[in-house]
Amino acid sequence: MKKYEVLYVVKPVEDEVLNGIVKKFEDLITAKGGTVEKTDRWGKKHLAYEIEDNQEGLYVLVTFNGSAECVAELDRVMRITEELLRHMIVAKNEKKAEKGEEKDE
């Protein structure tokens, strides 16, 4: 299994709704054989541009281990979740993370 990060932006909603959304995605990852390492709730942030008449969004970052099937299903469910404004799933490069190397630009 590879290590991934998913960052998603939720429409401004009540705390209990946000908790349900976060739990839904964590449960989906574990149901597909993955493991959630860490969930960081960054809170409400001002968006760089308006998305679906929203100027703010609730940011959540989840680090997890999973298979390609797990990532595909997570992406599919995130696309049809109405409360999400945007999401992005990226594979983490473990070799660079272990060495602490930064990419030169």
Side-chain angles (χ1 to χ4, degrees), residues 38-94:
K38 187 176 182 182
T39 301
D40 288 329
R41 297 176 190 213
W42 292 356
K44 189 181 286 189
K45 305 280 184 194
H46 186 74
L47 301 173
Y49 54 91
E50 194 172 285
I51 304 172
E52 297 178 16
D53 297 326
N54 292 291
Q55 295 182 349
E56 294 182 327
L58 301 164
Y59 284 69
V60 180
L61 175 70
V62 179
T63 305
F64 68 98
N65 294 311
S67 63
E69 178 186 318
C70 175
V71 172
E73 181 64 11
L74 181 63
D75 184 53
R76 185 190 74 78
V77 172
M78 286 184 153
R79 287 180 190 271
I80 62 175
T81 301
E82 292 182 16
E83 293 87 3
L84 288 192
L85 296 173
R86 294 286 188 271
H87 74 279
M88 182 170 58
I89 304 171
V90 292
K92 291 185 72 171
N93 189 341
E94 294 181 25

